[in-house]
Amino acid sequence: MGLDRRSFLKALGFAGATIAIGKSFGAPQMKESDIEFYGILYDSYRCGGCQSCEIACAEAHGLPKPIDEPKIGVQRKTDETRRVVVNSYKTSKGEVYIRKQCMHCNEPACAAACLTQAMHKTKEGPVIWRGSKCMGCRYCMVSCPFDIPKFEYYSANPKIQKCDMCYDRIMKGGIPICVEICPAEAIIFGKRKDLIKEARKRILENPTVYVDEIYGEHEAGGTGFLYLTPNPINELGFSTSIQKSSYPELSKGFLFSVPTVFVLLPPILLGIYEATRNNQLKEGDENE
Amino acid sequence: MKMSNMIYPIAKDNDGKSIWKFLVGEFKPKGKLLTPFNIISLPIMLLGLVLIIIRFWKGIGSITNLTQEVPWGLWIGFDVVTGVAFAGGAYVLTFMVYILNMHKYHSIIRITVLNGFLAYVFYAGALLLDLGRPWNVINPIIGNNFGTSSVLFLVAWHFLLYMIAQLIEFSPTIAEWLGAKRARKILSGMTIATVIFGITLSTLHQSGLGALYLMAKDKIHPLWYSEFIPIMFFISSIFAGLSMVIFEGTISQKVFFNQISEKNHRTHDDILHGLSKICSVAMFAYFFLKVIVFIHGKHWQYINTSMGYWYLLEILGFVLLPMLLFFSSYRTRNIFMIKLASIITILGIIINRLNVTVIGFRWDVDIRYVPSWMEFVVTLTVIFTELWIFRWVVNRMPVLRESPSWVNEEK
């Protein structure tokens, strides 16, 4: 069995093509200064837990109306029938309401995980889901550190449900329905940069009301949804294990090693093959 | 050698005989129908088929216990992630035989590659059952869109390409079966190139399966999560694959006894002996890496918990113990011990892969995911169907038995 040089070169060419496809391997990257994403600032001090945002969201997206209310000690979770929930927490500063929905990360793990870019970080900021591309593998759910994408397990044509910051409304020059409807102005919509400035201003003006921290400024590499809270976040049902750097960063090292392996391993294997060829001839003599 | 002319009628004079007549004849079952294996597997496969129909009709949730927190269960954790590790024997053996020219192992290369190929085809098939929108499965292939930042994108492509590579590696056997002399010559000429390509792909997707879980950092128990998951998956696939070769080889020797030549029967123990040495070395590297990761990760505080005991059992009982068994039986040439060690190793790999993907995944949530009995039935259906096809191929093609005589005449 001699080496067929032609077919080997063919194989190498194939490998080359794979590398060419993989030119953009690695997480979608953006410098902090470039980010002009839209975002939402949520001020839990102003939120009265009225659920207007939940009801409006459900109506706007054809989902069932919420039937339960925020209750202390009960963790309501987003699922395939609701994209946003408001929970209530008992703290040293009284009852505090906290909304939970997609965080619209600057570098979302779900979008980096998606092999068809069905989960997509738009250049405007919202992370949206595109059904025509999605194959329902649920890798976005495995990867999302906030456990946000939800899957319709009881459907033959299942969708991934999650907040999309009312992307279609934004594209028409509008604002998200929950922001529009909120009677307490607890949520405001705008450029992420401006929202951070606004949050800082509020903290500075009312240092006794807010903790000196904007949840979402650095979490998971920065998120589009920002929280102002009167209590440290670990008292408010947030996961405390969320890392400050982005999650796609975690698999970058592996993805970068792929072209290297593709370039280096075949010649090494070929070299070993050539070097051990004599063995084959000798052993072949013994056997035949 | 005269025998083979009788077994391969069309190999001798395929010019005169209709190939369709031959193929139709080959699709008829050979041997007894009421074997214990058939009696057990057939009802399970039929039940599995019904469950699969329900799944496509009523959604994945109708037969699985998957939750919003644990979206990947038994079908991914066992069928795909564990199964592919067991299929690793193919790339390790093609490396040994074609690249290192270790001629001793040549007699088991075909059955190992066949095993690897079928494993991949069926695990890719099992993957389709787990996809919510399987009709979109071609999207990452046709470019609607390329999610090149996704480890899964990489794994999907490597799976596809590796299945093609394995088919080409196996194709000379098919050509011998059909008596296609010219095709056989062309296809076997491609072997080295496809082997090199295949080994490269295997390296990447064996580790890639581990890399899938890199972003799930906060969800996997710290004793099993580390940035070295890809490397550990790769190293363990070496001895997982070889242990499966030892295990399967032992069964094949019994089931397909009459197909194996006298000479290959005699060398089989010698092969197991050689494989046990490679297993023990690979397992030592793996164990060493595990210890380093453990110490580096400063995981001492987790040891005195139930998950910690489970971890110790995996590392000591299912890595260190079989490693020592492999090592000592290599010294003493104890074939029984080698087979025993391979079975313990196989169990250990199942435990390890499930620990990363299912048992240690979201170990902190209130409602734990436990697979439903229907998920087990579907898993068994996939495995049994694979074994049926495997048996069909081995009974017809020169996988275990000698190639037809015209192959040697041509040399």
Side-chain angles (χ1 to χ4, degrees):
Chain A
M1 186 174 303
L3 169 71
D4 184 338
R5 246 171 253 280
R6 242 184 321 162
S7 51
F8 177 67
L9 284 177
K10 240 183 275 166
L12 260 194
F14 215 4
T18 320
I19 295 163
I21 294 168
K23 211 164 36 181
S24 52
F25 277 150
Q29 222 181 351
M30 234 159 279
K31 268 184 260 157
E32 190 123 9
S33 56
D34 295 342
I35 296 172
E36 269 290 353
F37 292 147
Y38 283 115
I40 292 176
L41 173 65
Y42 170 69
D43 187 337
S44 73
Y45 181 67
R46 296 189 183 184
C47 176
C50 71
Q51 286 183 291
S52 301
C53 55
E54 279 189 29
I55 295 161
C57 179
E59 261 172 31
H61 299 104
L63 298 168
K65 226 177 172 183
I67 39 169
D68 53 342
E69 288 173 6
K71 225 167 100 187
I72 288 170
V74 178
Q75 271 273 16
R76 299 168 71 231
K77 287 177 179 171
T78 59
D79 56 31
E80 68 271 35
T81 62
R82 49 189 182 192
R83 297 177 169 194
V84 53
V85 288
V86 179
N87 278 320
S88 164
Y89 296 91
K90 195 182 169 181
T91 72
S92 50
K93 291 186 175 175
E95 192 172 9
V96 173
Y97 294 99
I98 292 289
R99 249 177 72 120
K100 199 180 171 192
Q101 72 298 300
C102 176
M103 298 291 287
H104 300 282
C105 307
N106 294 352
E107 286 181 47
C110 59
C114 185
L115 73 169
T116 57
Q117 297 182 348
M119 205 55 96
H120 174 62
K121 176 79 177 172
T122 58
K123 63 181 192 304
E124 291 82 12
V127 177
I128 60 165
W129 175 77
R130 303 182 286 192
S132 64
K133 299 176 191 299
C134 176
M135 50 192 244
C137 71
R138 310 189 292 286
Y139 188 29
C140 51
M141 299 168 73
V142 171
S143 302
C144 173
F146 300 101
D147 262 337
I148 290 303
K150 297 289 150 81
F151 183 77
E152 295 175 343
Y153 281 108
Y154 293 92
S155 163
N157 183 14
K159 293 195 276 292
I160 298 276
Q161 285 286 2
K162 74 169 203 57
C163 160
D164 62 358
M165 216 192 270
C166 294
Y167 183 64
D168 44 349
R169 288 170 64 97
I170 293 176
M171 292 313 284
K172 286 180 199 144
I175 60 170
I177 188 83
C178 59
V179 177
E180 195 176 279
I181 212 91
C182 181
E185 285 178 24
I187 26 184
I188 53 172
F189 176 77
K191 292 273 182 208
R192 185 173 184 270
K193 260 188 209 161
D194 302 335
L195 295 176
I196 291 174
K197 267 183 217 152
E198 171 66 23
R200 288 248 169 74
K201 205 181 94 201
R202 290 189 193 176
I203 294 171
L204 212 62
E205 285 168 359
N206 303 294
T208 49
V209 169
Y210 302 107
V211 285
D212 186 10
E213 192 190 352
I214 307 166
Y215 187 77
E217 191 181 5
H218 302 296
E219 277 68 22
T223 62
F225 204 95
L226 301 158
Y227 288 85
L228 263 184
T229 60
N231 298 75
I233 53 124
N234 55 355
E235 292 175 27
L236 301 171
F238 289 95
S239 163
T240 48
S241 58
I242 302 289
Q243 62 174 21
K244 299 284 180 196
S245 53
S246 90
Y247 279 76
E249 206 77 45
L250 292 166
S251 52
K252 228 178 222 175
F254 174 79
L255 288 166
F256 284 168
S257 72
V258 170
T260 319
V261 172
F262 249 118
V263 171
L264 293 182
L265 196 54
I268 292 173
L269 293 172
L270 190 61
I272 300 172
Y273 167 75
E274 292 287 355
T276 57
R277 256 178 117 171
N278 286 336
N279 294 356
Q280 188 194 25
L281 297 177
K282 268 182 225 153
E283 279 190 45
D285 290 343
E286 284 163 27
N287 279 315
E288 296 317 315
Chain B
M1 280 297 137
K2 266 180 194 164
M3 272 288 290
S4 47
N5 279 341
M6 275 153 59
I7 302 169
Y8 303 99
I10 65 158
K12 202 178 151 199
D13 51 2
N14 56 343
D15 299 331
K17 198 167 180 178
S18 150
I19 189 129
W20 292 114
K21 226 173 175 180
F22 167 73
L23 282 179
V24 168
E26 290 289 77
F27 272 105
K28 283 182 194 141
K30 285 185 179 180
K32 276 190 295 181
L33 267 180
L34 289 176
T35 60
F37 173 71
N38 286 1
I39 291 167
I40 296 168
S41 62
L42 259 179
I44 294 178
M45 286 160 75
L46 287 174
L47 180 59
L49 194 66
V50 173
L51 292 174
I52 288 168
I53 291 168
I54 295 173
R55 172 253 169 277
F56 279 107
W57 177 31
K58 298 252 181 183
I60 295 173
S62 60
I63 69 165
T64 70
N65 279 350
L66 292 173
T67 66
Q68 299 292 358
E69 279 88 8
V70 186
W72 284 0
L74 189 72
W75 291 351
I76 300 289
F78 182 77
D79 298 14
V80 179
V81 178
T82 313
V84 164
F86 290 141
Y91 84 89
V92 180
L93 267 183
T94 52
F95 175 69
M96 286 159 60
V97 171
Y98 293 113
I99 304 296
L100 295 181
N101 275 306
M102 297 163 88
H103 208 76
K104 183 168 115 185
Y105 302 99
H106 200 273
S107 63
I108 57 165
I109 196 88
R110 282 188 168 180
I111 189 134
T112 309
V113 171
L114 173 65
N115 253 318
F117 173 67
L118 288 181
Y120 272 87
V121 169
F122 276 86
Y123 301 148
L127 198 67
L128 286 182
L129 302 179
D130 200 71
L131 290 184
R133 304 159 75 89
W135 51 90
N136 278 342
V137 72
I138 48 161
N139 278 351
I141 309 293
I142 61 171
N144 178 29
N145 284 52
F146 287 141
T148 47
S149 62
S150 170
V151 178
L152 193 58
F153 176 78
L154 224 97
V155 171
W157 265 94
H158 288 182
F159 260 47
L160 183 73
L161 294 176
Y162 187 53
M163 278 194 268
I164 296 168
Q166 278 188 317
L167 186 60
I168 297 173
E169 283 171 25
F170 186 70
S171 60
T173 317
I174 301 174
E176 286 173 20
W177 171 57
L178 295 173
K181 295 182 186 177
R182 262 182 62 80
R184 190 201 173 274
K185 206 167 181 192
I186 297 167
L187 291 168
S188 52
M190 293 163 72
T191 302
I192 288 298
T194 44
V195 161
I196 289 176
F197 193 47
I199 294 168
T200 310
L201 289 168
S202 285
T203 312
L204 288 169
H205 72 235
Q206 288 286 359
S207 47
L209 280 176
L212 283 181
Y213 288 86
L214 285 175
M215 275 199 282
K217 186 184 175 192
D218 311 327
K219 302 186 181 180
I220 296 171
H221 193 281
L223 283 172
W224 283 276
Y225 183 88
S226 88
E227 60 267 51
F228 292 103
I229 293 182
I231 296 172
M232 293 201 276
F233 266 48
F234 172 67
I235 299 178
S236 53
S237 77
I238 295 174
F239 57 80
L242 291 183
S243 293
M244 209 57 178
V245 170
I246 294 172
F247 180 67
E248 279 167 346
T250 307
I251 293 171
S252 295
Q253 287 277 319
K254 291 206 172 71
V255 176
F256 303 109
F257 186 84
N258 50 357
Q259 299 207 14
I260 303 170
S261 73
E262 183 77 8
K263 191 186 100 196
N264 287 344
H265 269 303
R266 266 187 282 116
T267 53
H268 192 247
D269 281 0
D270 211 29
I271 287 174
L272 297 192
H273 187 233
L275 292 179
S276 74
K277 181 170 142 192
I278 301 165
C279 276
S280 66
V281 172
M283 288 177 98
F284 178 74
Y286 178 74
F287 182 73
F288 193 67
L289 188 62
K290 274 271 183 194
V291 171
I292 288 180
V293 166
F294 178 81
I295 293 171
H296 249 269
K298 300 189 179 73
H299 291 325
W300 291 106
Q301 79 263 29
Y302 299 108
I303 279 298
N304 200 14
T305 64
S306 51
M307 286 304 265
Y309 302 143
W310 181 231
Y311 176 81
L312 284 179
L313 180 72
E314 179 197 320
I315 298 306
L316 301 178
F318 291 92
V319 181
L320 190 63
L321 175 71
M323 178 190 103
L324 294 173
L325 283 177
F326 273 129
F327 182 68
S328 76
S329 48
Y330 173 73
R331 304 281 302 265
T332 58
R333 287 194 79 95
N334 186 335
I335 298 298
F336 172 75
M337 286 285 241
I338 292 174
K339 291 173 182 173
L340 181 69
S342 76
I343 291 169
I344 300 175
T345 307
I346 286 167
L347 291 176
I349 290 293
I350 295 174
I351 292 171
N352 172 258
R353 294 302 195 260
L354 290 182
N355 276 339
V356 174
T357 59
V358 176
I359 300 168
F361 190 84
R362 292 314 302 266
W363 85 105
D364 53 335
V365 287
D366 312 329
I367 304 160
R368 292 294 317 260
Y369 158 79
V370 179
S372 70
W373 64 268
M374 294 177 278
E375 289 174 78
F376 282 104
V377 171
V378 171
T379 296
L380 281 174
T381 302
V382 172
I383 294 171
F384 283 143
T385 315
E386 188 195 334
L387 289 176
W388 274 65
I389 303 281
F390 178 76
R391 184 176 61 178
W392 185 87
V393 172
V394 172
N395 276 332
R396 280 156 188 80
M397 300 184 195
V399 177
L400 282 169
R401 58 176 157 230
E402 300 285 324
S403 297
S405 55
W406 55 265
V407 174
N408 283 324
E409 281 160 20
E410 265 185 11
K411 269 184 186 170

